[in-house]
Amino acid sequence: MPDDYPLEPDGRQMRAMGAAAIELAAEFISDIPEAGNDLEGALEAASGLREPAPEDGTTMEAVLDVVRLGAQKSYNNSGPGMFGYVPGSGLYASAVAAFLAAATNKYVALWSAVPMYAQIETTAVRWLADMVGYPESARGVLTSGGTTSVFSGLVTARATKLGEDLTGAVLYVTEETHHAALKSAMLAGLPRRAVRTVPTTDALTMDTAALDRMVAEDRAAGLRPFCVVASAGTINTGEVDPLADIAGICRRHELWLHVDGAYGGAFLLTERGRAAMRGIEQADSVTLDPHKGFFLPYGTGALLVREGRRLREAHHFDAAYLQDVAEESEIPNLSEYSAELSRDFRGLRLWLPVKLHGLAAFRTALDEKLDLARYAYDELKAVPGIEVPWSPKLSIVAFRYVPPSGDADAANQVLLEKINESGRIHLSSTMIRGSFFLRICVLSFRTHADRMAEAVEIIQKAVAELQSDL
Ligand SMILES: *Cc1c(COP(=O)(O)O)cnc(C)c1O
């Protein structure tokens, strides 16, 4: 009766819809490596989408045409030349998992409704906890992204260390901490003045002696220091704060340590990453962002808490209409650890690709990113006129052109435009200690040595042009 009930396609119709969608995806993804940024006509096409909801339906073909065009008319953000911000590259296996999760439409937040799926998600979270080096007592949740993970981390820190009284609370960050920490602190009900900025060393990492002193002074002044947010991979330069030292200070002062590993955490799979993030296992909570370093499509972040019961205490509420729900057992009720109740089955997006490809495939890809960043650093350092002050600990290289005279920031803005005009690579910029810097962040599984060599050439050529223009 497919025509009487259009919301209930039959098997043949479902296969046809799915096949058309997969055809689109396979074609689009196959073109990614050689595609550039293409925004020509995108705004006009977007304005054509402002329309009232149609009363009658159209064909799948017509709908897919819009989806296809929308994907094409965009930045090639999943491509091998994307070095701006923190690129997310989007594993196909994870997209398939997302489809299956939606198609089976199970309710994973309460284990008794679908024990195997709830266990799959719990297992995926456990894999992340193993990577961090957390004990069995650890619990965690998959979230929509890094920001919501930091948010729940800070809510847990607040509940554990401050209880209901937020007066005088102080939390410590640095200039290099991602703004997710400040935003989360605000959302968690803390005033702006509760967030203190600890100075950084020349390496742009937290100055631990200054932290120690500030905490002691704030406490002596009658304030209530309760949390430090340290970075395992800063957004500007990929630097890692001295986590073991900070953990020691936090223990001494009884502060909660949250480590933001949204960008850098996945590198724990590699030997170099582990060495850089030594001490991360001592953190009370950790943010990871599988839609960055695990190459998943957007929409998957993670929060891990070493003493898992703290996460539950900060997020669990009893409600009469949930009285039929089974208590947590071997498998947790994920909603009791989360700001969310109903939500998608995120675990499959992580679990399926790891099962299918094995962790080794991820480790190899991440090691390759570390090598490529090191290569870019070495090559750029050799270019006259370019300054590359910080050797990459992970996969971000910040650099700038230093003109013989004139406005360096303006010159670097022009340099950025020249580089991005190539269409082959895309960089973004930032301000570090008041100066304009360009950044290369290598994190796409599609980026290999050939594109990195091309990137260096493009940058060299742009610098040469800039020098002859000046
Ligand atoms: C990307 C990032 C965030 C924010 O994560 P979203 O997934 O974009 O919400 C937070 N901290 C760091 C260090 C990041 O790199």
Side-chain angles (χ1 to χ4, degrees), residues 26 113 118 141 161 171 183 186 208 216 259 275 300 407:
V141 280
K161 294 293 181 185
L171 171 148
K183 183 173 177 176
M186 304 295 106
T208 51
V259 171
T300 313
D407 184 343

Side-chain angles (χ1 to χ4, degrees), residues 179-213:
H179 80 276
L182 182 60
K183 183 173 177 176
S184 296
M186 304 295 106
L187 293 175
L190 295 160
R192 214 163 253 272
R193 66 171 180 280
V195 180
R196 286 254 207 285
T197 305
V198 180
T200 50
T201 63
D202 290 343
L204 302 180
T205 58
M206 188 179 283
D207 178 339
T208 51
L211 170 67
D212 201 16
R213 198 169 52 240

Side-chain angles (χ1 to χ4, degrees), residues 86 144-148 150 178-180 231-235 260-264 287 289 291-292 300-301:
V86 177
S144 60
T147 305
T148 47
V150 177
H178 192 281
H179 80 276
S231 302
T234 58
I235 196 91
D260 183 355
Y263 150 69
T287 298
D289 220 357
H291 64 206
K292 290 177 177 170
T300 313

Side-chain angles (χ1 to χ4, degrees), residues 78-419:
S78 302
M82 185 62 189
F83 299 116
Y85 313 101
V86 177
S89 33
L91 282 178
Y92 182 69
S94 194
V96 171
F99 170 74
L100 290 173
T104 54
N105 194 36
K106 292 296 168 186
Y107 195 90
V108 291
L110 300 170
W111 72 267
S112 53
V114 57
M116 283 181 67
Y117 281 10
Q119 183 60 58
I120 283 176
E121 180 140 332
T122 303
T123 298
V125 168
R126 185 62 236 174
W127 290 344
L128 297 176
D130 287 343
M131 232 173 78
V132 167
Y134 266 173
E136 278 305 312
S137 61
R139 292 287 180 277
V141 280
L142 296 180
T143 63
S144 60
T147 305
T148 47
S149 301
V150 177
F151 171 63
S152 263
L154 294 195
V155 165
T156 307
R158 188 199 67 189
T160 306
K161 294 293 181 185
L162 299 173
E164 304 237 309
D165 180 10
L166 308 189
T167 44
V170 188
L171 171 148
Y172 302 86
V173 300
T174 74
E175 282 281 327
E176 299 299 313
T177 309
H178 192 281
H179 80 276
L182 182 60
K183 183 173 177 176
S184 296
M186 304 295 106
L187 293 175
L190 295 160
R192 214 163 253 272
R193 66 171 180 280
V195 180
R196 286 254 207 285
T197 305
V198 180
T200 50
T201 63
D202 290 343
L204 302 180
T205 58
M206 188 179 283
D207 178 339
T208 51
L211 170 67
D212 201 16
R213 198 169 52 240
M214 286 169 76
V215 173
E217 284 171 6
D218 286 339
R219 191 151 276 158
L223 296 172
R224 297 163 71 210
F226 78 102
C227 181
V228 175
V229 179
S231 302
T234 58
I235 196 91
N236 278 341
T237 58
E239 257 303 337
V240 180
D241 286 326
L243 303 178
D245 294 351
I246 295 172
I249 292 170
C250 287
R251 260 196 309 279
R252 221 157 1 89
H253 292 285
E254 296 182 354
L255 308 181
W256 185 277
L257 173 57
H258 180 83
V259 171
D260 183 355
Y263 150 69
F267 287 102
L268 283 167
L269 283 180
T270 69
E271 231 170 83
R272 284 171 283 180
R274 272 226 78 76
M277 290 179 261
R278 202 178 55 80
I280 194 169
E281 70 286 350
Q282 297 174 49
D284 295 288
S285 52
V286 173
T287 298
L288 301 173
D289 220 357
H291 64 206
K292 290 177 177 170
F294 273 94
F295 319 123
L296 266 47
Y298 292 115
T300 313
L303 170 68
L304 304 168
V305 177
R306 200 184 53 211
E307 263 187 82
R309 68 191 173 91
R310 298 298 192 185
L311 179 60
R312 187 166 183 273
E313 285 161 9
H315 290 84
H316 181 45
F317 280 85
D318 282 320
Y321 43 80
L322 294 177
Q323 65 189 6
D324 307 328
V325 165
E327 292 282 316
E328 74 168 356
S329 66
E330 295 283 300
I331 313 173
N333 282 326
L334 293 164
S335 64
E336 295 173 8
Y337 294 80
S338 162
E340 298 174 289
L341 182 54
S342 307
R343 63 166 172 89
D344 52 333
F345 176 21
R346 295 178 184 129
L348 199 63
R349 303 204 285 265
L350 180 57
W351 181 88
L352 190 148
V354 171
K355 286 289 281 185
L356 184 67
H357 302 304
L359 266 192
F362 290 84
R363 184 173 292 115
T364 304
L366 287 161
D367 258 322
E368 182 189 28
K369 303 314 135 201
L370 296 175
D371 292 340
L372 294 176
R374 173 55 59 175
Y375 165 84
Y377 172 74
D378 290 340
E379 293 291 313
L380 292 179
K381 245 183 126 59
V383 179
I386 287 197
E387 182 186 63
V388 203
W390 302 281
S391 69
K393 197 158 281 168
L394 298 173
S395 73
I396 299 177
V397 182
F399 67 95
R400 66 178 190 140
Y401 172 61
V402 185
S405 63
D407 184 343
D409 289 358
N412 280 283
Q413 177 71 55
V414 175
L415 179 62
L416 178 66
E417 283 156 24
K418 277 185 190 290
I419 291 168

